[in-house]
């Protein structure tokens, strides 16, 4: 049997949190033994939508990334004796075998310690539902935009070839994870008006690839998306204006270059 995997397309996620809520609905207040004891009402997120703000006002965007923890072969390698024996590759921490093993929660992000029951807990891939005939876990079933998918690894070969993993040993693959960007606005300093159609080029200082080029829109704005983490030279030019240069860096975060003021050339 092919290994079961999650494939998550971040571009489709709109932050509705349906997956997170469905996980809570399935596991809070209900024990699905021998697969999982009940999840506490607070403190645990076996599926969690991570919200991240990029840039600074007025160049801002927000991304939402569903995070599914515990589904990693690293857990299996660390403590195979604590897991249920499954042929489909799902990581299911056995509540009975893992009692008292707080080290599992301390070692792996996405695995939580249930103090009351003295057990480590995390996503099971809704193995109790899969074994009962469901084709997908609750989180995937609840996604209204098709951003979360689940199935045999062999069925997702094409997507997995383009995907990334937050954990190199995880069963969770991501498409379209947010990349860095540089944005700004070009202004005629004297007229205090935007400059439409100005040419903006972005060149990596290390020369690792050729300069990118775009033009300002009707609001004087420009955006360079899907960038590598690097230092750049930003050059702005427009007919009748003196060119301006400045540096921009995406090494730490997305870069709002702010307003770039152009002066009329002599």
């Amino acid at each position: 049997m092919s290994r079961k995997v999650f494939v998550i397309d971040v571009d489709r996620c709109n932050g509705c949190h349906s997956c997170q809520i469905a996980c809570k609905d399935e596991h809070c207040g209900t024990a699905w033994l021998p697969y999982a004891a009940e999840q506490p009402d607070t403190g645990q997120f076996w599926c969690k939508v991570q919200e991240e703000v990029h840039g600074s006002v007025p160049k801002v965007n927000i991304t939402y990334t569903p995070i599914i923890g515990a589904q990693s072969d690293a857990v299996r390698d660390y403590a195979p004796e604590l897991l249920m024996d499954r042929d489909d590759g799902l990581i299911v921490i056995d509540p009975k075998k893992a009692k008292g093993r707080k080290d599992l929660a301390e070692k792996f992000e996405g695995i939580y310690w249930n103090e009351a029951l003295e057990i480590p807990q995390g996503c099971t891939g809704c193995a109790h539902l899969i074994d009962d005939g469901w084709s997908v876990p609750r989180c995937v079933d609840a996604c209204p935009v098709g951003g979360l998918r689940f199935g045999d690894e062999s069925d997702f070969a094409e997507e997995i070839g383009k995907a990334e993993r937050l954990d190199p040993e995880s069963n969770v693959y991501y498409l379209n994870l947010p990349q860095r960007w540089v944005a700004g606005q070009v202004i005629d300093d004297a007229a205090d008006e935007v400059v439409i159609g100005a040419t903006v080029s972005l060149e990596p200082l290390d020369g690792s690839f050729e300069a990118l080029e775009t033009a300002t829109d009707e609001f004087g704005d420009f955006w360079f998306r899907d960038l590598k983490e690097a230092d750049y030279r930003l050059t702005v030019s427009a007919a009748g204006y003196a060119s301006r240069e400045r540096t921009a860096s995406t090494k730490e975060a997305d870069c709002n270059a702010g307003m770039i003021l152009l002066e009329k050339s002599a």
Side-chain angles (χ1 to χ4, degrees):
M1 180 183 292
S2 178
R3 183 176 73 154
K4 297 293 186 183
V5 298
F6 291 84
V7 176
I8 299 175
D9 189 341
V10 177
D11 261 359
R12 294 193 176 196
C13 183
N14 60 13
C16 73
H17 288 73
S18 292
C19 56
Q20 182 174 314
I21 294 168
C23 180
K24 286 288 186 184
D25 179 65
E26 184 69 20
H27 294 282
C28 289
T30 306
W32 297 106
L33 298 173
Y35 301 90
E38 66 180 79
Q39 182 186 141
D41 289 340
T42 60
Q44 293 197 22
F45 293 96
W46 300 0
C47 174
K48 180 179 182 179
V49 178
Q50 178 177 289
E51 178 180 314
E52 187 174 0
V53 178
H54 303 264
S56 57
V57 175
K59 299 293 184 292
V60 176
N61 72 307
I62 301 175
T63 58
Y64 304 96
T65 306
I67 304 294
I68 297 173
Q71 292 300 313
S72 172
D73 286 336
V75 179
R76 191 193 316 279
D77 294 340
Y78 177 73
E81 72 281 4
L82 303 185
L83 307 182
M84 293 185 68
D85 185 22
R86 299 186 61 85
D87 295 329
D88 60 6
L90 284 176
I91 306 297
V92 183
I93 301 170
D94 189 309
K96 185 176 180 180
K97 294 177 181 178
K99 188 174 179 64
R101 289 294 300 269
K102 190 174 184 178
D103 58 299
L104 206 62
E106 292 174 336
K107 185 172 180 64
F108 295 102
E109 188 174 352
I111 296 180
Y112 301 85
W113 179 244
N114 187 321
E115 190 68 42
L117 300 179
E118 297 185 325
I119 57 171
Q121 295 180 286
C123 171
T124 65
C126 284
H128 64 290
L129 294 179
I130 301 303
D131 288 353
D132 195 41
W134 282 54
S135 60
V136 296
R138 278 290 306 276
C139 60
V140 177
D141 182 65
C143 180
V145 295
L148 279 74
R149 289 181 290 162
F150 176 87
D152 293 337
E153 187 173 35
S154 57
D155 293 337
F156 292 119
E158 184 176 347
E159 289 94 333
I160 286 174
K162 307 172 186 175
E164 301 175 66
R165 290 186 285 182
L166 302 181
D167 166 3
E169 297 185 73
S170 175
N171 297 345
V172 184
Y173 292 86
Y174 289 90
L175 296 169
N176 301 309
L177 281 170
Q179 305 295 315
R180 297 287 166 81
W181 50 257
V182 171
Q185 186 179 43
V186 180
I187 303 290
D188 180 322
D189 190 20
D192 194 25
E193 295 179 349
V194 301
V195 179
I196 300 171
T199 299
V200 187
S201 66
L202 190 71
E203 179 184 5
L205 295 183
D206 62 7
S208 57
F209 57 90
E210 292 186 4
L212 304 172
E213 189 172 289
T214 189
T216 55
D217 61 18
E218 63 270 29
F219 303 106
D221 293 334
F222 64 86
W223 292 81
F224 292 96
R225 302 183 187 276
D226 300 326
L227 297 176
K228 296 180 179 180
E229 297 179 11
D231 294 321
Y232 295 91
R233 178 183 297 107
L234 191 64
T235 305
V236 181
S237 59
Y241 294 90
S243 297
R244 291 291 301 272
E245 282 190 4
R246 66 171 59 180
T247 57
S249 179
T250 58
K251 284 187 173 180
E252 299 297 328
D254 303 282
C255 178
N256 174 12
M259 292 190 298
I260 300 175
L261 304 180
L262 295 186
E263 296 179 353
K264 293 286 187 179
S265 55

